Amino acid sequence: MSKHQIHLDINGRAHDASVEGRLTLCDFLRGDAGYTGVHVGCEHGVCGACTVMVDGLAVRSCLMLAVQADGCSVTTVEGLSSGDGALHPVQQTLREEHGLQCGFCTPGVVMTLAALTQGEQKPSSETLINAMSGHICRCTGYQGIRRAALRLAGETLAPVEDHG
Amino acid sequence: MKPAPFDYYAPSTIEEACGLLAEAGGGATILAGGQTLMPLLALRMSQPFLLVDINRIAALKGISRSAGSTRIGPITRQNEAIADATLGSAQPLLVTAVKHVGHHQTRNRGTIGGSIALGEPAAELPATAVALGASVEVRSAKRGKRRIAAEELYLGPYATALEFDELVTDIHVPEWPTGTRWMFRELAQRPGDFALVGLTGAITVQDGKVSRAGLAWFGMGPTPIKARQAEAALLGQSLDQLDHAAIAELAVADTAPFDDHHATSEYRRTVGRRMFARALRETLEAKA
Amino acid sequence: MNQPETRTDRYIGKRQARSEDLRLLTGRGVYTDDVSLPGMLQVAFHRSPVARGLIRSIDTSAARELPGVFAVLTAQDLERYQPNMLSFFLAPPVVPVPLLAVDRVCYVGDPVAMVIAQDRYIAEDAAGLITVEYEEEAPVVTLDDARQGPLVHPGTESNVAAATGADELDPDLEELLNSAPHLEVIEMKHQRISQSPMEPRGVVAAPQGSGEMTVYLSCQGPQLAARWFSQAFDLPQTTFRVISKDVGGSFGLKGQPWREETAVVAAALILGRPLKWIEDRLENLTSANQAREQDMKLRVAFDLEGNLIASHADYGINNGAYPHGADSNIAVMMFLWAAHKLQAFNFSAKGWFSNTVGLGAYRGPWALESLAREVLLDRAARKLKIDPIELRRKTLITRADQPTMTPMGLALEDISPAECLEELLKKVDVAAFRIEQAEARKQGRYLGLGFATYIEPTAGTAGVIVLISESCHIRIEPTGKVSAVVSTHSQGHGTQTTMAQVIAERLGVPFEDVTVYEDDSSRGGYGSGAYGSRQAVAGGGACIRAADLMADKIRAIAAHVFEARPEDVFIRGGRVHILGAREQVYSLRDIADVAYAEPERLPEGMEAGLETQYRYCPPALTLTSAAHACVVEVDVDTGFVRILRWVSSEDVGNMINPAVVEGQVAGGLAQAIGQVLFEEVSYDARGNPTAVTYKDYMLPTIFDVPVFEYLHGASAPSQTEGGFRGVGEGGCIVGPPTLVNAIADALAPFGELKLEFPLTPPRLLELIEGRPMGRRHG
């Protein structure tokens, strides 16, 4: 069983560690690095809760080994909001749209949407909704997630009406 | 669900990787994108003693075109393939197929070569490789290079003609002539699921007649299934005289679907027949 | 209220953004797996690969020798602590439930040994090194197996775990059924469902060394869990404190601790070390209690106008080997005809033991009543050639018919499914749909429109000792901020927000100034947390009364200290206004300063400090009503179902937060869609589970769930404090029949659906094609 020295950047901070070959990236981020916002929902790549950004791309951290992230730049949900505590636009939009209930799948949802909207990207609503098919949410029926994704794609939604 | 212990190496050259595979004598597993392997490791259904991570081998990357063929480096990420302009114009069917593989997040890691080398019978890329007449170039430390046609690659579910010490170094996909029409249909219960029934292929039409056809099923048997009888029946046929239903019947005759948790073989045959006939009609009616 | 300035304090009924979201969106929630303690060790279980058999020998020597392994425990080692595995209602089990298998294994996944190691990787390595010799026996897997097969638990008289109703048919009822102008009979088989919270179960048990056992638990309410541990272990010298900050969904699964969590607590007591067990998804899909595997034969007699004459139900539910509580699910019978004009009803209901994972609760555990009734009503309507809506208008009890009593003795005062249906029909144009449907059929497209109505018992208390009341403690802190400790608990419900909305409004303070705590059994008083759609009603009521007491106290102090009449004191925007020739304004901090620091200035006899509490007992039952409609298209080439529209019309009483209410409805409906179309825990003939990952246990994705429309127009305040009604389970109850009826309507030209769930594409294509499509494996 091999041990490996890795050096990576997590949420803008350099991180050195010695890891066993078999340690998954999600377990490393949660346990060794302390970023417990990375949630482990299935450990077989279906639920999407563990999604983080590796070199700017949304990936399942349960489907990568920690050693594979050597030399990479990793962003977890803890690394998104700015220092002054203000929410990232993705987080703010999800909050406004009640896009979460238990919050367990949420960090993954946030990271996919953040990855696809960062920088100068102008993703279509189709791109964002398609990417949301990679996240399982058992609570919300995806209503608020869908609305948030559409808004992040620049669509203007009719406000929610209160009937009666 | 934690992987059993293994040794891990991430070689930077093909030679090094092949050396490790040869030394391990069958106890090694190649880690490419890991989007299928990692769950198998977590479930301890796969317990190699050595994991050879090929993600740091620069020679396995890249997409290029030469004399009627496109070369794809096996560790090209699926999302890189989708975004690649060269591939988009040279191999539109392959790009369509890649868009159906898994989810956005898994395509950021998952590789073209990993999917093709794994041989999941319900996956999009092996069948598309078979349909297009692709081949893989493989290397072993002892026997050097050889080339395997996709059609010869798949022996059963997750079983391929690759020897334990062989590494796929290149994927060669022939470019089809102008006038080729592409056909891709996949029926899956949810986005990203493996197909209940899938169909992929290319049909070249010249002067109103079919001059070449490559068609393959996925999710319709233990391997990707080449629809040989249907291909033969199409050749030389004039588009306005095609009996789509009869050709679909021939196409289904080559399949060997099974019952599993998601569907029955009779379901797959019934739906496949319709899917084929309709896809054929729509593909050939469309303007090239 | 005609004083405009009070409007800033109105929070009840507002779509208030949730307080919880700030930590949950930024990855700063604290779920059980996020808890890490000094010296903590990790647990993995060795589980039986055999559904039924005798344990001949267990060899743990290789596992013990593995470096990093601290201990390997089997049933023998835990003998010192054999807790009484109580049900949610704190009733003892009908068969002994061991923590780890003793001599015999009863399902695939039955825990046989536990490994305690420095990390989970090593614990799993060691669990794999344990060898157990089994003498395998033929298992009892299905309900039919249970009825005919050998005993699951030797020593019992039969495999019947629980029974209600009568085995013998009532001749009078049979006469009514058999002589009726129309008898409609359905037989249905409902598949087994995994609750599948995104966070599986988990526990950290930390003995404190002085008789204090702190348990971090993924649960539905820390108060109930602490009570459960305390009563189950019955260790007078040990105090159980349960902490449960954030929980990633429960849906009934985490209503009570079960074998694994309890085994970890017992092991921690033995070893004196903090232990963590986090269920992985494989364990969750194979070893966590499951729900819904049921069958029912329902017979209903009608006259030719569609009036109901009589009904009989024959019902069975698979209890597995170790149910959370042996259950024949009497609530199915209670609510089958509770909202309908039908008096002659009888039933037989049985729960059956089998060699499968035990039965647990799942959102709307009795939901089969709505599925069976609504599907049968539609079927009868088609045969009697009566509009299904007319049939419901004819048979539903309306507001005008109440008060009345159901055949099962339930008093009805304010149910309104009929009124919800009328509200729904204002938005769903049935006539226009029928034209569209006819046009579409000409083009080979099969559209269907389905309706269902239901009533839902929420915040039920009658006779259930654990559910009688909820408590709220409010403090105005010396800082002037408001803290409330409420016995509610959120696993996504957002009660930290909704309870704060209620308190802020009733107290007259800004929402932002109120912090609600509900995560620690050592704070506040007993309550059951999230169970039975009760938190808005029971918790909300407690918050109103505690806040009102606090407002009274503040007014009394202010009036006394500032020499005013109490009726001239108002609290608005977090400030205390004293009306008079010259209006005086004080902060809550000013009042707190007096209350905490200068008690001598308080009215005579008044207790120092600013703390109030109220334990609210809601009425025996608060009923929520709804009518739903959905439109589907079924692809007759493939049997695929696409949901085109879904409209929900409910009577949810006064809403605290419409976004939270709609979130509950939507979540329940998504689970309903999963049940009807995708999800199935399946077993092969040997009792091996065959859907053990999320590739095979298929949960709905964003593409499978449509945009839901909500109508709240039929809502009327309930009799409870605040006029609230519960809404937690409804979507999961009314959703399945709504969708099934839409599919049945779409496919009516091909005949009637076979009621075996889920309605997979092969099953639907079988009906469309009129020929068998073969059996799925597993």
Side-chain angles (χ1 to χ4, degrees), chain A:
Chain A
M1 172 162 45
S2 52
K3 273 247 173 191
H4 307 268
Q5 280 299 127
I6 59 171
H7 175 82
L8 68 166
D9 178 293
I10 309 174
N11 297 332
R13 286 175 187 276
H15 206 97
D16 286 289
S18 170
V19 297
E20 243 186 72
R22 63 170 165 167
L23 184 68
T24 57
L25 179 58
C26 59
D27 283 347
F28 169 74
L29 291 171
R30 289 181 52 79
D32 302 53
Y35 292 105
T36 53
V38 179
H39 290 167
V40 177
C42 76
E43 294 182 282
H44 56 275
V46 182
C47 80
C50 68
T51 301
V52 299
M53 270 193 250
V54 175
D55 293 336
L57 299 177
V59 303
R60 314 275 209 224
S61 63
C62 75
L63 297 187
M64 247 182 103
L65 297 170
V67 60
Q68 292 187 288
D70 184 25
C72 293
S73 169
V74 176
T75 308
T76 72
V77 71
E78 289 97 331
L80 275 192
S81 43
S82 55
D84 61 8
L87 295 177
H88 181 279
V90 167
Q91 293 167 328
Q92 183 61 32
T93 311
L94 278 164
R95 184 173 190 224
E96 286 166 8
E97 294 298 341
H98 286 260
L100 61 151
Q101 286 180 24
C102 82
F104 200 77
C105 73
T106 307
V109 171
V110 168
M111 294 316 289
T112 292
L113 291 173
L116 286 170
T117 53
Q118 67 190 326
E120 295 306 302
Q121 296 180 94
K122 294 266 179 284
S124 65
S125 52
E126 191 193 359
T127 298
L128 294 187
I129 299 287
N130 279 343
M132 285 299 100
S133 76
H135 292 280
I136 303 226
C137 170
R138 189 60 155 164
C139 292
T140 65
Y142 306 100
Q143 304 296 300
I145 294 174
R146 182 187 282 117
R147 289 179 62 90
L150 295 176
R151 276 182 54 197
L152 289 164
E155 290 193 18
T156 311
L157 302 183
V160 174
E161 286 173 53
D162 281 323
H163 297 283

Side-chain angles (χ1 to χ4, degrees), chain C residues 382-400:
Chain C
R382 277 190 289 275
K383 293 207 187 134
L384 291 166
K385 305 219 182 308
I386 300 174
D387 178 344
I389 291 162
E390 285 309 316
L391 183 61
R392 286 177 174 82
R393 282 180 174 141
K394 198 169 288 225
T395 56
L396 278 170
I397 291 166
T398 67
R399 281 190 177 127

Side-chain angles (χ1 to χ4, degrees), chain C residues 186-322:
Chain C
I186 59 167
E187 290 186 57
M188 53 177 31
K189 271 190 201 300
H190 197 292
Q191 83 277 29
R192 184 179 286 236
I193 293 293
S194 160
Q195 301 88 338
S196 271
M198 294 321 294
E199 179 205 28
R201 293 179 296 159
V203 61
V204 175
Q208 305 292 304
S210 56
E212 202 180 306
M213 170 61 91
T214 304
V215 182
Y216 299 84
L217 188 71
S218 188
C219 68
Q220 291 181 205
Q223 303 286 354
L224 179 93
R227 178 175 176 182
W228 190 95
F229 280 125
S230 182
Q231 290 188 219
F233 276 98
D234 191 25
L235 299 169
Q237 71 283 16
T238 303
T239 305
F240 285 91
R241 173 187 182 193
V242 173
I243 298 176
S244 187
K245 177 81 176 170
D246 290 307
V247 176
S250 298
F251 314 114
L253 172 62
K254 301 171 185 171
Q256 70 195 86
W258 205 230
R259 299 177 71 195
E260 288 87 347
E261 296 101 316
T262 312
V264 170
V265 170
L269 285 167
I270 291 168
L271 300 173
R273 287 281 291 264
L275 302 181
K276 176 189 273 190
W277 171 68
I278 300 299
E279 182 176 60
D280 66 31
R281 191 56 65 184
L282 180 64
E283 291 180 290
N284 180 254
L285 287 172
T286 57
S287 309
N289 281 28
Q290 299 163 343
R292 290 286 203 276
E293 189 187 339
Q294 308 153 89
D295 59 19
M296 171 134 80
K297 180 176 182 180
L298 179 61
R299 295 180 293 154
V300 185
F302 294 84
D303 70 18
L304 293 176
E305 282 74 51
N307 295 302
L308 297 163
I309 298 171
S311 173
H312 183 272
D314 198 349
Y315 170 84
I317 179 163
N318 197 330
N319 274 222
Y322 299 119

Side-chain angles (χ1 to χ4, degrees), chain B residues 1-5 43-44 187-194 196 259-264 266-267 270-271 274 278, chain C residues 120-121 124-125 280 282 636-638 640 682 694-696 698-699 703-704 761-762 765 769 771 773-777:
Chain B
M1 289 178 68
K2 309 297 181 191
L43 290 160
R44 299 196 177 209
L187 187 69
Q189 279 197 275
R190 301 170 305 169
D193 281 344
F194 284 125
L196 299 182
D259 299 340
D260 64 15
H261 182 77
H262 301 286
T264 62
E266 183 50 30
Y267 175 84
T270 304
V271 170
R274 289 180 185 146
R278 180 179 292 178
Chain C
R120 176 71 182 236
Y121 286 73
E124 288 190 23
D125 294 343
D280 66 31
L282 180 64
V636 294
D637 282 346
T638 61
F640 271 51
S682 47
Y694 276 162
K695 273 287 180 198
D696 291 327
M698 299 198 296
L699 297 170
F703 280 85
D704 306 307
L765 200 60
E769 297 273 314
R771 64 189 170 93
M773 283 283 145
R775 305 300 311 162
R776 296 187 306 156
H777 279 180

Side-chain angles (χ1 to χ4, degrees), chain B residues 22-101:
Chain B
E23 258 173 59
T29 293
I30 297 168
L31 173 62
Q35 305 300 287
T36 305
L37 178 60
M38 285 292 292
L40 296 177
L41 293 173
L43 290 160
R44 299 196 177 209
M45 288 162 73
S46 169
Q47 297 196 20
F49 71 76
L50 173 66
L51 209 58
V52 179
D53 180 353
I54 58 171
N55 285 285
R56 293 182 192 269
I57 304 177
L60 297 180
K61 290 183 183 160
I63 292 169
S64 56
R65 288 177 85 166
S66 64
S69 177
T70 314
R71 183 262 172 188
I72 305 167
I75 63 169
T76 303
R77 308 277 177 213
Q78 289 152 4
N79 272 346
E80 287 170 1
I82 291 171
D84 189 276
T86 306
L87 197 67
S89 58
Q91 301 294 350
L93 180 70
L94 190 72
V95 171
T96 301
V98 177
K99 287 178 182 169
H100 285 79
V101 177

